[in-house]
Amino acid sequence: MEIESFRREVLSYYRRQGRTFPWRITRNPYEIVVSEFMLQQTRTELVQKKYLPFLAAFPDLETLAEAPLSTLLSNWKGLGYNRRAIYLQEFARHALTRWEGTIPTDPALLQQCRGIGPYTARAIPTFAYDIPHVFIETNIRRVFLHHFFRGKEGIHDREILPWVERTLDWEHPREWYYALMDYGASLAKKFPNPNRRSKHFIRQTPFEGSRRQLRGRILSILLQAGGALDIETLASRISLPFDETKGVRENLFKVLQDLSAEGFVAEEAGAYRIRDH
């Protein structure tokens, strides 16, 4: 009875106030994959602005796989966590060379690709093919903590997942998970965030002044430059006090080394440019 009541409450909310997003309309597996990469650690409102323009630029696996990195990053700009763009392109190439241009239904195969963890590996076949898999993400976690773990602290996902499985609509998993996500988003506006009681809760560090912000600014400047820039020029365009402290020089150099190791930039004779793939 408890489970049936829970299902009715979630579905009732969804039928009254469920959200509409372009990735919920499509059944195209490639378009689902793009949305899942974009939605990792990014607000749905921001993804909604970038999703359709990105698909217009890269309408299929082939176009994405063959795109120059500079073009890919220019279309990804504004979404943050740029390594996801590289992982998405790697996925496209992987699908073409190993899976004959198809998107697998097996989470174990999907999880072989960088940028795909347990959630994404199960969400893709569920949303693309309506195949039931058990998974959890922020909004889903919030729902189950609110309903089944009230007053408890330090709840591990392994305690929540059996409830996700018990309540799953095995015949209509795609719609059920959309309902859970929307209901979870609504709970965030009505109650103190239940996710703080999760063992996995991590408070987001400020973006302003962060290493992540510096990475983004470096890539943006190199994209605008269209060529190689030395480290002093980069620092001046970022408006860093490059010559004032040794720490600033070392920090900028370390970030550039990381970007080089991750495949974003190439270094030639002390100058840096967006890598050509």
Side-chain angles (χ1 to χ4, degrees):
M1 182 62 69
E2 181 183 18
I3 288 176
E4 289 305 314
S5 174
F6 169 72
R7 284 176 174 160
R8 283 196 300 270
E9 184 172 346
V10 172
L11 289 172
S12 175
Y13 174 84
Y14 181 64
R15 284 161 186 160
R16 293 192 322 268
Q17 300 185 57
R19 299 175 294 179
T20 300
F21 298 113
W23 53 87
R24 291 189 178 182
I25 298 170
T26 183
R27 294 274 179 168
N28 182 307
Y30 166 73
E31 294 176 359
I32 297 293
V33 168
V34 170
S35 72
E36 288 301 323
F37 271 86
M38 286 187 169
L39 287 163
Q40 293 171 2
Q41 298 178 284
T42 304
R43 299 190 318 276
T44 52
E45 295 82 3
L46 181 55
V47 174
Q48 192 167 18
K49 295 177 183 177
K50 302 291 293 185
Y51 179 68
L52 291 178
F54 188 91
L55 288 179
F58 311 106
D60 49 41
L61 288 166
E62 291 80 5
T63 310
L64 179 59
E66 296 169 2
L69 181 58
S70 57
T71 304
L72 177 62
L73 292 178
S74 294
N75 283 275
W76 191 269
K77 186 176 179 180
L79 285 168
Y81 298 100
N82 290 290
R83 63 170 61 89
R84 289 178 301 161
I86 284 186
Y87 294 161
L88 178 56
Q89 187 174 60
E90 286 180 358
F91 178 91
R93 293 169 176 169
H94 194 104
L96 290 169
T97 57
R98 300 190 186 183
W99 301 327
E100 299 180 345
T102 64
I103 310 297
T105 60
D106 183 354
L109 286 177
L110 292 166
Q111 210 166 329
Q112 292 174 2
C113 299
R114 291 202 301 170
I116 294 186
Y119 161 76
T120 305
R122 288 154 182 79
I124 288 171
T126 293
F127 295 135
Y129 304 114
D130 220 10
I131 296 173
H133 288 289
V134 177
F135 56 80
I136 193 168
E137 54 82 67
T138 298
N139 284 313
I140 295 171
R141 183 183 294 114
R142 184 181 294 117
V143 172
F144 286 89
L145 286 170
H146 177 76
H147 276 271
F148 300 106
F149 296 90
R150 292 187 182 183
K152 296 183 180 180
E153 301 286 337
I155 306 302
H156 198 284
D157 280 355
R158 64 172 168 262
E159 300 175 68
I160 299 174
L161 283 168
W163 284 99
V164 177
E165 185 171 9
R166 261 177 235 142
T167 58
L168 180 58
D169 184 338
W170 294 88
E171 294 183 3
H172 309 97
R174 173 180 159 118
E175 181 185 37
W176 172 246
Y177 277 116
Y178 288 153
L180 278 176
M181 291 174 176
D182 287 1
Y183 184 62
S186 76
L187 291 178
K189 300 174 183 177
K190 298 176 182 177
F191 303 97
N193 187 3
N195 279 336
R196 293 177 182 174
R197 296 189 281 110
S198 166
K199 195 174 183 66
H200 307 274
F201 179 73
I202 300 174
R203 191 177 297 277
Q204 183 76 16
T205 56
F207 177 71
E208 193 65 30
S210 67
R211 187 180 182 87
R212 186 158 58 93
Q213 184 186 40
L214 179 57
R215 287 168 57 96
R217 291 171 73 180
I218 289 171
L219 291 174
S220 179
I221 289 166
L222 290 177
L223 284 170
Q224 291 173 6
L229 298 176
D230 60 34
I231 196 166
E232 288 83 359
T233 304
L234 262 174
S236 67
R237 296 191 184 182
I238 297 172
S239 300
L240 292 173
F242 188 78
D243 294 321
E244 293 182 13
T245 64
K246 183 179 179 182
V248 170
R249 175 187 290 269
E250 289 179 347
N251 189 39
L252 182 56
F253 181 73
K254 286 178 181 177
V255 172
L256 284 166
Q257 292 300 103
D258 288 346
L259 290 171
S260 177
E262 293 168 21
F264 286 105
V265 303
E267 185 267 335
E268 296 174 356
Y272 297 83
R273 59 171 174 79
I274 298 295
R275 186 184 297 274
D276 297 321
H277 281 273

